[in-house]
DNA sequence: ACGCTCCTATCGAACGTTCGTTTTACAAAA
DNA sequence: TTTTGTAAAACGAACGTTCGATAGGAGCGT
């Protein structure tokens, strides 16, 4: 990708995730990327297209990382822990993170909302397919994979969002969050009898 | 409350949760409440104050409902199930629901954001205190109550948000969601050995 | 090397709209 | 007569987007 496009997209991602999509103006993006308004519209068709491009990148980044984890052939319990850690790492890195971006769906044009929702559901379905696979192999207890996937994603996002607040509670959660989440998720999904 | 104020607040809550705070204009609220712009500003100081009033009401509604549950003296496992059901019920009822409202924090003025965050944290701390109580009594395994509270809230919000999409998957989640969530949460928190 | 055209990237002004808010006006009640 | 509730017009600012101008390089026939 052209360096200018990348700079614009990075600036937009940062601002969208900090302030929200609707609260971020095109002029603020232009200022942060050190380009003019016209330049942005030369590279991107609209503000919504920028959000969709960012969402696509973020989901793809996570899907690829999980795919790599999968190829390591780890036990499911370890893999769950790794995915929780992955989410924390991506969230604490500079740059846009999925959760704030995905929260901007309301108020979008119907078409853009459809596309954004489809991306999220595709990612959750990917998680659900991993869970279903684990169930078939007896590594995960019998449960509804889709609901379990939404529950897992929701708990990770909720805890990691709190870890970004910047107070001392947030620091503690940054340290202990991945471990506690892995413990919770593994107990919730482990194939042991009730 | 004066019927006019109530009508305005209800209209604002509905629109905020449907379209998001920033995507909802004061004129749309006025139209939906069948009053004029001036009337809204006669009753509320600003748009932000309306959001904060709505948030306060929603959190209070949940806190009160949980308090009533607590007085029934049910076992923890049942209580967890009831709280999950409670969230689903409140979400599916017409009217604003906490999750979409609480997502509107970014882009608010610093003061309003502080107040809104404090409300959410107070509610999570209330959940955490319930969990800590359960731990002391040996009804819940030893864990970090705060992280567990955020994880629980996150998973319930995530699953119930999906239950609102309107397709056939959403219908299935509406039926099975509370039960599956209760199962997941209880396994995650049960005091049995690893 | 030169003029010439074409294409791409960039800029910043300007468009019309909508924003949240303020102000003015008016009617009914106290 | 003052207060209260409502309406509607108007305010300045910011919004997302479009547009015309400008600059620079690539390709090319001469």
């Amino acid at each position: 990708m052209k360096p200018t496009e990348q700079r614009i997209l990075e600036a937009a991602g940062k601002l969208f995730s900090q302030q929200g999509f609707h609260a971020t103006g095109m002029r603020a993006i232009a200022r942060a990327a050190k380009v003019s308004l016209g330049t942005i519209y030369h590279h991107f068709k609209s503000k919504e297209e920028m959000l969709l491009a960012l969402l696509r990148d973020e989901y793809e980044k996570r899907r690829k990382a999980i795919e790599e984890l999968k190829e390591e052939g780890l036990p499911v319990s370890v893999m769950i822990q790794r995915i929780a850690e992955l989410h924390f790492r991506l969230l604490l890195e500079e740059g846009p993170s999925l959760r704030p971006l995905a929260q901007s769906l309301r108020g979008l044009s119907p078409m853009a909302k459809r596309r954004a929702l489809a991306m999220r559901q595709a990612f959750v379905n990917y998680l659900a397919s991993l869970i279903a696979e684990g169930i078939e192999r007896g590594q995960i207890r019998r449960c509804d994979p889709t609901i379990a996937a939404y529950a897992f994603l929701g708990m990770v996002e909720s805890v990691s969002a709190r870890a970004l607040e910047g107070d001392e509670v947030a620091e503690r959660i940054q340290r202990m969050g991945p471990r506690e989440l892995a413990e919770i998720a593994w107990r919730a999904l482990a194939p042991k009898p009730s």
Side-chain angles (χ1 to χ4, degrees), chain A:
Chain A
M1 192 182 305
K2 316 282 181 58
T4 306
E5 274 182 43
Q6 187 142 7
R7 224 171 53 245
I8 294 172
L9 219 43
E10 276 170 16
K14 194 177 223 167
L15 290 175
F16 285 167
S17 57
Q18 278 171 2
Q19 321 176 338
F21 178 74
H22 293 290
T24 301
M26 293 298 272
R27 284 157 187 83
I29 298 172
R31 217 177 305 123
K34 295 195 199 307
V35 295
S36 72
L37 270 177
T39 299
I40 294 185
Y41 278 93
H42 178 71
H43 291 281
F44 299 94
K45 215 172 57 184
S46 70
K47 193 185 171 190
E48 280 186 345
E49 287 295 329
M50 298 178 64
L51 176 66
L52 292 171
L54 284 164
L55 278 173
R56 180 166 28 76
D57 291 353
E58 290 295 313
Y59 282 120
E60 190 55 23
K61 196 190 294 180
R62 279 157 181 75
R63 213 196 50 76
K64 278 211 177 108
I66 294 177
E67 203 65 40
E68 286 173 17
L69 275 181
K70 207 174 152 191
E71 282 168 11
E72 292 185 36
L74 300 164
V76 180
S77 60
V78 177
M79 188 152 161
I80 286 172
Q81 169 143 14
R82 290 290 176 82
I83 295 181
E85 284 168 359
L86 168 72
H87 233 91
F88 264 73
R89 184 167 52 74
L90 289 178
L91 201 68
L92 296 178
E93 278 174 6
E94 196 88 51
S97 48
L98 202 49
R99 152 106 163 179
L101 289 181
Q103 282 179 351
S104 306
L105 305 192
R106 277 160 302 113
L108 255 50
S109 76
M111 174 62 106
K113 180 167 178 177
R114 262 195 44 243
R115 289 168 59 190
L117 258 179
M119 285 192 222
R120 176 167 184 89
Q121 292 183 7
F123 181 67
V124 172
N125 288 342
Y126 175 67
L127 287 181
S129 76
L130 291 181
I131 293 174
E133 207 174 296
I135 294 175
E136 279 180 21
R137 294 189 187 155
Q139 297 165 330
I140 288 181
R141 73 174 172 89
R142 288 186 55 82
C143 65
D144 184 312
T146 303
I147 294 180
Y150 274 103
F152 177 72
L153 196 58
M155 76 171 77
V156 175
E157 285 178 346
S158 171
V159 174
S160 55
R162 180 61 179 88
L164 283 183
E165 283 307 324
D167 54 6
E168 65 277 3
V169 176
E171 283 177 30
R172 199 185 78 236
I173 296 182
Q174 282 190 23
R175 285 198 321 273
M176 308 180 45
R179 209 178 330 139
E180 289 274 342
L181 274 174
E183 182 78 21
I184 289 174
W186 176 238
R187 282 175 184 266
L189 297 178
K192 287 177 309 181
S194 168

